[in-house]
Amino acid sequence: MQFGLCNASATFQRFIDEVTRGLPGVYAFVDDILIASKNPEQHFQHLKTLFARLDEYGLCINISKCIFGALAIDFLGFNLSENGIKPLPDKVKCILDFPKPDTLTQLRRFLGMFNFYRCFIPKAAHILAPIVQFLEGHTNKKKSRSSVCKSSEQLKWNENAEQAFIAAKNAIAEATLLRHPIPGAQLSLWVDASDVAIGGTLSQLSQGQFEPIAYFSMKLNKSQRKWSTYDRELFSIYSAIKKFKHMLEGREFQIYTDQKPLIYAFKQNPDKCSPRQLRHLDFISQYSTDIRHVQGSQNIVADALYRIEVDFKEFARAQKDDSDIQKFLHNDASSLQLELKPCQTSNCNLLCDTSTGVPRPFVPTSFRKLIFDHLHNLAHPGIAASTKLISARYVWPGMKYQIKQWVRCCESCQRSKIQRHTKTPLGTFSLPDARFTHIHIDIVGPLPPSEGQIYLLTIIDRFSRWPEAIPIPDMRAKTICRAIFDTWISRFGCPSVATSDQGSQLRSSMFVEFTRMLGTQKIKITPYHPISNGIVERFHRHLKSAIKAHENEKWSELILIILLGIRTAVKEDLQSSCSELVYGTTLRLPCDMIDVSDIPPCDIEFITDLRHRMQQLNPVATSAHCTDRFYIHPSLKSSSHIFLIVDRVQPPLRQTLYWSS
């Protein structure tokens, strides 16, 4: 078989594979043979075995082109050493010196060079996303006249694309060193997904820590971007396993993700899954079902989210052409003291301000937003903190105002921080006309079992604040109706209004019929807003703390004595105890030193005066704290879009603000 034919290379590769088959540490690619050994003695044995096999097949090698006993070697565009694999410096330099593409053809050429080393770049798809958008709607399959014309069109670069181009070069310059796979080592797959791309890292456990073997990233198409976070995270696991299946097949490994619901993916009811989810889960289950949750800060993929770095050589060139710098250089009245200082991380000199004693580079116009993103995106501090953080390291005219505007426009900050949002006045209840006409009902529990009781039915009168706490064994509507009738109604009569939460037992047909029979109007508070039933919720807080303070597991025995203390305690807003509002006098406590039997009996005039005073009692509205000031942002009158809080139960650390026009 002569070289030059279309299938010559494949034929020769099959022949070389046959020659080297079964030889330890020998890897062949066409006419290049690599021998990897742990030490010189083993390397000598590997060479001896290889030479014997070549002699058996009648093959000769060119000694002048061979390298023996090297600790590091360049092979197929990569530098191989005992530490791992990394890109060749001269190849990387070609990418770093590549000028900004002006046409689609030049852009495809740059992306082709970048993608050769893509496996070394974490989050490569995220970095290239603003650049790859230029290729949308264009095809290079048919060399028609129209496609050639489109390929020669000038690209319209924006700020995001330029930053992505610089970030891609910096990512190549700081490419991660990939470790050599260790046979039998524990493997783990770390995955992550964002709104625009997915990524994964295949790692192995070595010396107590996970080391990366390979990276994977892929941009999502338009339909995939509309998927839920759960679906995107599941797709990232599916795609990563599909990418690394040749290394994962037949091996035990763990899958780490920051999407906690995925750890229950194989335990849920299949009827809840969509057909696409079932397909993905079926493929994943063929390799592993060990999905584990890891916090975002500990996820090595999420933690490897690309940080925008500054190209200081380009920074220095931009300083020479910046008009603001020229003005300050020729302005003797300026407080800035501009001097050239050597850059510690690059072989160039930067124009810095030394007036504060610490050299601060003067930032040209084109790098200001990049510097802000680099520092602000670390922890997304506020205006004052961001200003101090950046001004301590860099300087440019009007930087405080610019930083203030950029922080205010940071979408991540607006969606994640609850600051000075618009507040509306709290709703108010109409004051009751008399005692025991308006009551609040709620349930506490489940509590530790005590004499067969697990829950507490709590009732409080809105007028007098008189509390009741009734131990009950369950939360059935029948049990609740019986407890209310036997305790509250038998003592104080039927209320006119009853307020409760959205509990299913308080919305049942039995409880509705019970309140209808009593002639009681039932009021349900807003879901997930216990503040609407705050009077009884505050009573729960006092009740639970009192039970815990007694340090007695039999809480059902303590309820009565605790209620005695609560009923006799003076309330600040009423300036009296609830027992005084109900009985006209306070209750006698076990520690009282005066015996009421020694007090002379009262006459009829006292009884008449007491009745007159009781009739003059007026209800006192419940106090509302921190509601004296309500804030409405003046920009609401001219804003086209706002963020709305989606008021429902959310997972921890989930952003609750969404766009609304």
Side-chain angles (χ1 to χ4, degrees), residues 32-55:
D32 290 325
I33 301 178
L34 178 69
I35 304 97
S37 310
K38 293 183 178 180
N39 50 59
E41 293 77 13
Q42 188 185 66
H43 189 60
F44 178 78
Q45 293 298 330
H46 287 172
L47 288 173
K48 187 176 180 181
T49 306
L50 175 63
F51 292 158
R53 182 69 62 86
L54 294 176
D55 182 62

PDB file of all heavy atoms in Angstrom, residues 32-55:
ATOM      1  N   ASP A  32       4.077   7.526  14.196  1.00  0.00           N
ATOM      2  CA  ASP A  32       4.653   8.015  15.451  1.00  0.00           C
ATOM      3  C   ASP A  32       4.304   7.019  16.557  1.00  0.00           C
ATOM      4  O   ASP A  32       3.129   6.678  16.758  1.00  0.00           O
ATOM      5  CB  ASP A  32       4.107   9.396  15.815  1.00  0.00           C
ATOM      6  CG  ASP A  32       4.617  10.472  14.872  1.00  0.00           C
ATOM      7  OD1 ASP A  32       5.777  10.354  14.438  1.00  0.00           O
ATOM      8  OD2 ASP A  32       3.852  11.408  14.567  1.00  0.00           O
ATOM      9  N   ILE A  33       5.333   6.577  17.296  1.00  0.00           N
ATOM     10  CA  ILE A  33       5.133   5.621  18.382  1.00  0.00           C
ATOM     11  C   ILE A  33       5.622   6.252  19.681  1.00  0.00           C
ATOM     12  O   ILE A  33       6.770   6.728  19.752  1.00  0.00           O
ATOM     13  CB  ILE A  33       5.887   4.299  18.115  1.00  0.00           C
ATOM     14  CG1 ILE A  33       5.397   3.667  16.809  1.00  0.00           C
ATOM     15  CG2 ILE A  33       5.695   3.326  19.272  1.00  0.00           C
ATOM     16  CD1 ILE A  33       6.130   2.395  16.447  1.00  0.00           C
ATOM     17  N   LEU A  34       4.774   6.245  20.694  1.00  0.00           N
ATOM     18  CA  LEU A  34       5.099   6.822  21.999  1.00  0.00           C
ATOM     19  C   LEU A  34       5.216   5.699  23.022  1.00  0.00           C
ATOM     20  O   LEU A  34       4.337   4.836  23.110  1.00  0.00           O
ATOM     21  CB  LEU A  34       4.005   7.805  22.429  1.00  0.00           C
ATOM     22  CG  LEU A  34       4.188   8.463  23.795  1.00  0.00           C
ATOM     23  CD1 LEU A  34       5.357   9.441  23.758  1.00  0.00           C
ATOM     24  CD2 LEU A  34       2.923   9.192  24.217  1.00  0.00           C
ATOM     25  N   ILE A  35       6.293   5.705  23.799  1.00  0.00           N
ATOM     26  CA  ILE A  35       6.498   4.711  24.855  1.00  0.00           C
ATOM     27  C   ILE A  35       6.529   5.446  26.190  1.00  0.00           C
ATOM     28  O   ILE A  35       7.415   6.278  26.433  1.00  0.00           O
ATOM     29  CB  ILE A  35       7.812   3.927  24.658  1.00  0.00           C
ATOM     30  CG1 ILE A  35       7.838   3.266  23.276  1.00  0.00           C
ATOM     31  CG2 ILE A  35       7.976   2.882  25.742  1.00  0.00           C
ATOM     32  CD1 ILE A  35       8.579   4.054  22.253  1.00  0.00           C
ATOM     33  N   ALA A  36       5.552   5.171  27.058  1.00  0.00           N
ATOM     34  CA  ALA A  36       5.445   5.824  28.362  1.00  0.00           C
ATOM     35  C   ALA A  36       5.815   4.830  29.448  1.00  0.00           C
ATOM     36  O   ALA A  36       5.235   3.738  29.536  1.00  0.00           O
ATOM     37  CB  ALA A  36       4.026   6.348  28.579  1.00  0.00           C
ATOM     38  N   SER A  37       6.775   5.203  30.308  1.00  0.00           N
ATOM     39  CA  SER A  37       7.256   4.313  31.367  1.00  0.00           C
ATOM     40  C   SER A  37       7.362   5.085  32.675  1.00  0.00           C
ATOM     41  O   SER A  37       7.466   6.313  32.683  1.00  0.00           O
ATOM     42  CB  SER A  37       8.622   3.719  31.000  1.00  0.00           C
ATOM     43  OG  SER A  37       8.591   3.162  29.697  1.00  0.00           O
ATOM     44  N   LYS A  38       7.372   4.340  33.794  1.00  0.00           N
ATOM     45  CA  LYS A  38       7.413   4.964  35.112  1.00  0.00           C
ATOM     46  C   LYS A  38       8.838   5.308  35.551  1.00  0.00           C
ATOM     47  O   LYS A  38       9.034   6.239  36.326  1.00  0.00           O
ATOM     48  CB  LYS A  38       6.773   4.029  36.141  1.00  0.00           C
ATOM     49  CG  LYS A  38       5.279   3.825  35.932  1.00  0.00           C
ATOM     50  CD  LYS A  38       4.696   2.942  37.032  1.00  0.00           C
ATOM     51  CE  LYS A  38       3.199   2.767  36.848  1.00  0.00           C
ATOM     52  NZ  LYS A  38       2.594   1.916  37.905  1.00  0.00           N
ATOM     53  N   ASN A  39       9.829   4.543  35.074  1.00  0.00           N
ATOM     54  CA  ASN A  39      11.215   4.777  35.489  1.00  0.00           C
ATOM     55  C   ASN A  39      12.148   4.324  34.369  1.00  0.00           C
ATOM     56  O   ASN A  39      11.726   3.651  33.416  1.00  0.00           O
ATOM     57  CB  ASN A  39      11.529   4.050  36.798  1.00  0.00           C
ATOM     58  CG  ASN A  39      11.102   2.582  36.753  1.00  0.00           C
ATOM     59  OD1 ASN A  39      11.572   1.819  35.897  1.00  0.00           O
ATOM     60  ND2 ASN A  39      10.205   2.202  37.659  1.00  0.00           N
ATOM     61  N   PRO A  40      13.446   4.669  34.434  1.00  0.00           N
ATOM     62  CA  PRO A  40      14.385   4.294  33.351  1.00  0.00           C
ATOM     63  C   PRO A  40      14.491   2.789  33.136  1.00  0.00           C
ATOM     64  O   PRO A  40      14.614   2.331  31.994  1.00  0.00           O
ATOM     65  CB  PRO A  40      15.717   4.891  33.826  1.00  0.00           C
ATOM     66  CG  PRO A  40      15.325   6.020  34.722  1.00  0.00           C
ATOM     67  CD  PRO A  40      14.076   5.575  35.408  1.00  0.00           C
ATOM     68  N   GLU A  41      14.465   1.995  34.210  1.00  0.00           N
ATOM     69  CA  GLU A  41      14.571   0.549  34.051  1.00  0.00           C
ATOM     70  C   GLU A  41      13.387  -0.010  33.270  1.00  0.00           C
ATOM     71  O   GLU A  41      13.549  -0.844  32.351  1.00  0.00           O
ATOM     72  CB  GLU A  41      14.673  -0.127  35.425  1.00  0.00           C
ATOM     73  CG  GLU A  41      15.961   0.189  36.186  1.00  0.00           C
ATOM     74  CD  GLU A  41      15.934   1.570  36.814  1.00  0.00           C
ATOM     75  OE1 GLU A  41      14.833   2.174  36.880  1.00  0.00           O
ATOM     76  OE2 GLU A  41      17.008   2.058  37.232  1.00  0.00           O
ATOM     77  N   GLN A  42      12.205   0.433  33.643  1.00  0.00           N
ATOM     78  CA  GLN A  42      11.025  -0.028  32.928  1.00  0.00           C
ATOM     79  C   GLN A  42      11.036   0.455  31.480  1.00  0.00           C
ATOM     80  O   GLN A  42      10.603  -0.259  30.568  1.00  0.00           O
ATOM     81  CB  GLN A  42       9.766   0.458  33.648  1.00  0.00           C
ATOM     82  CG  GLN A  42       8.475  -0.123  33.096  1.00  0.00           C
ATOM     83  CD  GLN A  42       7.251   0.488  33.763  1.00  0.00           C
ATOM     84  OE1 GLN A  42       6.977   1.677  33.600  1.00  0.00           O
ATOM     85  NE2 GLN A  42       6.527  -0.345  34.512  1.00  0.00           N
ATOM     86  N   HIS A  43      11.524   1.686  31.263  1.00  0.00           N
ATOM     87  CA  HIS A  43      11.588   2.229  29.903  1.00  0.00           C
ATOM     88  C   HIS A  43      12.512   1.376  29.020  1.00  0.00           C
ATOM     89  O   HIS A  43      12.210   1.130  27.839  1.00  0.00           O
ATOM     90  CB  HIS A  43      12.075   3.677  29.960  1.00  0.00           C
ATOM     91  CG  HIS A  43      11.969   4.405  28.654  1.00  0.00           C
ATOM     92  ND1 HIS A  43      10.771   4.602  28.003  1.00  0.00           N
ATOM     93  CD2 HIS A  43      12.920   4.989  27.863  1.00  0.00           C
ATOM     94  CE1 HIS A  43      10.972   5.274  26.877  1.00  0.00           C
ATOM     95  NE2 HIS A  43      12.281   5.525  26.766  1.00  0.00           N
ATOM     96  N   PHE A  44      13.623   0.925  29.586  1.00  0.00           N
ATOM     97  CA  PHE A  44      14.545   0.069  28.827  1.00  0.00           C
ATOM     98  C   PHE A  44      13.863  -1.241  28.428  1.00  0.00           C
ATOM     99  O   PHE A  44      14.016  -1.725  27.291  1.00  0.00           O
ATOM    100  CB  PHE A  44      15.803  -0.192  29.665  1.00  0.00           C
ATOM    101  CG  PHE A  44      16.787  -1.104  29.000  1.00  0.00           C
ATOM    102  CD1 PHE A  44      17.622  -0.640  27.996  1.00  0.00           C
ATOM    103  CD2 PHE A  44      16.873  -2.448  29.365  1.00  0.00           C
ATOM    104  CE1 PHE A  44      18.525  -1.494  27.364  1.00  0.00           C
ATOM    105  CE2 PHE A  44      17.771  -3.301  28.744  1.00  0.00           C
ATOM    106  CZ  PHE A  44      18.602  -2.822  27.750  1.00  0.00           C
ATOM    107  N   GLN A  45      13.104  -1.830  29.326  1.00  0.00           N
ATOM    108  CA  GLN A  45      12.406  -3.072  29.025  1.00  0.00           C
ATOM    109  C   GLN A  45      11.327  -2.857  27.957  1.00  0.00           C
ATOM    110  O   GLN A  45      11.148  -3.692  27.063  1.00  0.00           O
ATOM    111  CB  GLN A  45      11.784  -3.643  30.304  1.00  0.00           C
ATOM    112  CG  GLN A  45      12.797  -4.124  31.329  1.00  0.00           C
ATOM    113  CD  GLN A  45      13.650  -5.266  30.810  1.00  0.00           C
ATOM    114  OE1 GLN A  45      13.221  -6.080  29.983  1.00  0.00           O
ATOM    115  NE2 GLN A  45      14.897  -5.330  31.270  1.00  0.00           N
ATOM    116  N   HIS A  46      10.612  -1.723  28.047  1.00  0.00           N
ATOM    117  CA  HIS A  46       9.586  -1.426  27.043  1.00  0.00           C
ATOM    118  C   HIS A  46      10.214  -1.270  25.655  1.00  0.00           C
ATOM    119  O   HIS A  46       9.670  -1.760  24.648  1.00  0.00           O
ATOM    120  CB  HIS A  46       8.832  -0.151  27.432  1.00  0.00           C
ATOM    121  CG  HIS A  46       7.897  -0.343  28.583  1.00  0.00           C
ATOM    122  ND1 HIS A  46       7.249   0.716  29.191  1.00  0.00           N
ATOM    123  CD2 HIS A  46       7.500  -1.467  29.242  1.00  0.00           C
ATOM    124  CE1 HIS A  46       6.499   0.257  30.172  1.00  0.00           C
ATOM    125  NE2 HIS A  46       6.631  -1.065  30.218  1.00  0.00           N
ATOM    126  N   LEU A  47      11.368  -0.584  25.585  1.00  0.00           N
ATOM    127  CA  LEU A  47      12.040  -0.393  24.300  1.00  0.00           C
ATOM    128  C   LEU A  47      12.521  -1.727  23.734  1.00  0.00           C
ATOM    129  O   LEU A  47      12.402  -1.999  22.530  1.00  0.00           O
ATOM    130  CB  LEU A  47      13.224   0.568  24.461  1.00  0.00           C
ATOM    131  CG  LEU A  47      12.893   2.049  24.691  1.00  0.00           C
ATOM    132  CD1 LEU A  47      14.165   2.831  24.995  1.00  0.00           C
ATOM    133  CD2 LEU A  47      12.202   2.638  23.471  1.00  0.00           C
ATOM    134  N   LYS A  48      13.069  -2.560  24.602  1.00  0.00           N
ATOM    135  CA  LYS A  48      13.572  -3.855  24.159  1.00  0.00           C
ATOM    136  C   LYS A  48      12.449  -4.718  23.585  1.00  0.00           C
ATOM    137  O   LYS A  48      12.604  -5.369  22.536  1.00  0.00           O
ATOM    138  CB  LYS A  48      14.241  -4.556  25.343  1.00  0.00           C
ATOM    139  CG  LYS A  48      14.945  -5.845  24.974  1.00  0.00           C
ATOM    140  CD  LYS A  48      15.650  -6.418  26.194  1.00  0.00           C
ATOM    141  CE  LYS A  48      16.369  -7.720  25.822  1.00  0.00           C
ATOM    142  NZ  LYS A  48      17.059  -8.312  27.005  1.00  0.00           N
ATOM    143  N   THR A  49      11.284  -4.685  24.257  1.00  0.00           N
ATOM    144  CA  THR A  49      10.138  -5.464  23.776  1.00  0.00           C
ATOM    145  C   THR A  49       9.624  -4.915  22.453  1.00  0.00           C
ATOM    146  O   THR A  49       9.276  -5.679  21.529  1.00  0.00           O
ATOM    147  CB  THR A  49       9.015  -5.436  24.828  1.00  0.00           C
ATOM    148  OG1 THR A  49       9.523  -5.876  26.080  1.00  0.00           O
ATOM    149  CG2 THR A  49       7.867  -6.332  24.409  1.00  0.00           C
ATOM    150  N   LEU A  50       9.583  -3.573  22.323  1.00  0.00           N
ATOM    151  CA  LEU A  50       9.102  -2.955  21.088  1.00  0.00           C
ATOM    152  C   LEU A  50      10.019  -3.266  19.914  1.00  0.00           C
ATOM    153  O   LEU A  50       9.562  -3.599  18.809  1.00  0.00           O
ATOM    154  CB  LEU A  50       8.969  -1.445  21.276  1.00  0.00           C
ATOM    155  CG  LEU A  50       8.580  -0.645  20.021  1.00  0.00           C
ATOM    156  CD1 LEU A  50       7.199  -1.047  19.506  1.00  0.00           C
ATOM    157  CD2 LEU A  50       8.638   0.854  20.291  1.00  0.00           C
ATOM    158  N   PHE A  51      11.347  -3.167  20.140  1.00  0.00           N
ATOM    159  CA  PHE A  51      12.292  -3.434  19.055  1.00  0.00           C
ATOM    160  C   PHE A  51      12.189  -4.887  18.583  1.00  0.00           C
ATOM    161  O   PHE A  51      12.306  -5.180  17.387  1.00  0.00           O
ATOM    162  CB  PHE A  51      13.719  -3.129  19.507  1.00  0.00           C
ATOM    163  CG  PHE A  51      13.976  -1.669  19.751  1.00  0.00           C
ATOM    164  CD1 PHE A  51      15.018  -1.243  20.568  1.00  0.00           C
ATOM    165  CD2 PHE A  51      13.174  -0.708  19.147  1.00  0.00           C
ATOM    166  CE1 PHE A  51      15.258   0.094  20.790  1.00  0.00           C
ATOM    167  CE2 PHE A  51      13.414   0.638  19.363  1.00  0.00           C
ATOM    168  CZ  PHE A  51      14.442   1.037  20.185  1.00  0.00           C
ATOM    169  N   ALA A  52      11.958  -5.787  19.516  1.00  0.00           N
ATOM    170  CA  ALA A  52      11.801  -7.195  19.130  1.00  0.00           C
ATOM    171  C   ALA A  52      10.561  -7.383  18.269  1.00  0.00           C
ATOM    172  O   ALA A  52      10.583  -8.155  17.285  1.00  0.00           O
ATOM    173  CB  ALA A  52      11.730  -8.074  20.380  1.00  0.00           C
ATOM    174  N   ARG A  53       9.476  -6.683  18.614  1.00  0.00           N
ATOM    175  CA  ARG A  53       8.257  -6.795  17.828  1.00  0.00           C
ATOM    176  C   ARG A  53       8.438  -6.165  16.437  1.00  0.00           C
ATOM    177  O   ARG A  53       7.964  -6.722  15.434  1.00  0.00           O
ATOM    178  CB  ARG A  53       7.105  -6.107  18.576  1.00  0.00           C
ATOM    179  CG  ARG A  53       5.758  -6.211  17.870  1.00  0.00           C
ATOM    180  CD  ARG A  53       5.228  -7.637  17.886  1.00  0.00           C
ATOM    181  NE  ARG A  53       4.988  -8.124  19.240  1.00  0.00           N
ATOM    182  CZ  ARG A  53       3.847  -7.908  19.909  1.00  0.00           C
ATOM    183  NH1 ARG A  53       2.858  -7.257  19.308  1.00  0.00           N
ATOM    184  NH2 ARG A  53       3.704  -8.386  21.127  1.00  0.00           N
ATOM    185  N   LEU A  54       9.120  -5.035  16.349  1.00  0.00           N
ATOM    186  CA  LEU A  54       9.363  -4.409  15.045  1.00  0.00           C
ATOM    187  C   LEU A  54      10.239  -5.303  14.163  1.00  0.00           C
ATOM    188  O   LEU A  54      10.030  -5.398  12.941  1.00  0.00           O
ATOM    189  CB  LEU A  54      10.022  -3.029  15.230  1.00  0.00           C
ATOM    190  CG  LEU A  54       9.176  -1.942  15.904  1.00  0.00           C
ATOM    191  CD1 LEU A  54      10.017  -0.679  16.102  1.00  0.00           C
ATOM    192  CD2 LEU A  54       7.945  -1.614  15.087  1.00  0.00           C
ATOM    193  N   ASP A  55      11.240  -5.926  14.793  1.00  0.00           N
ATOM    194  CA  ASP A  55      12.105  -6.828  14.026  1.00  0.00           C
ATOM    195  C   ASP A  55      11.323  -8.039  13.518  1.00  0.00           C
ATOM    196  O   ASP A  55      11.570  -8.532  12.412  1.00  0.00           O
ATOM    197  CB  ASP A  55      13.274  -7.273  14.909  1.00  0.00           C
ATOM    198  CG  ASP A  55      14.241  -8.173  14.156  1.00  0.00           C
ATOM    199  OD1 ASP A  55      14.834  -7.707  13.168  1.00  0.00           O
ATOM    200  OD2 ASP A  55      14.363  -9.342  14.548  1.00  0.00           O
TER     201      ASP A  55
END
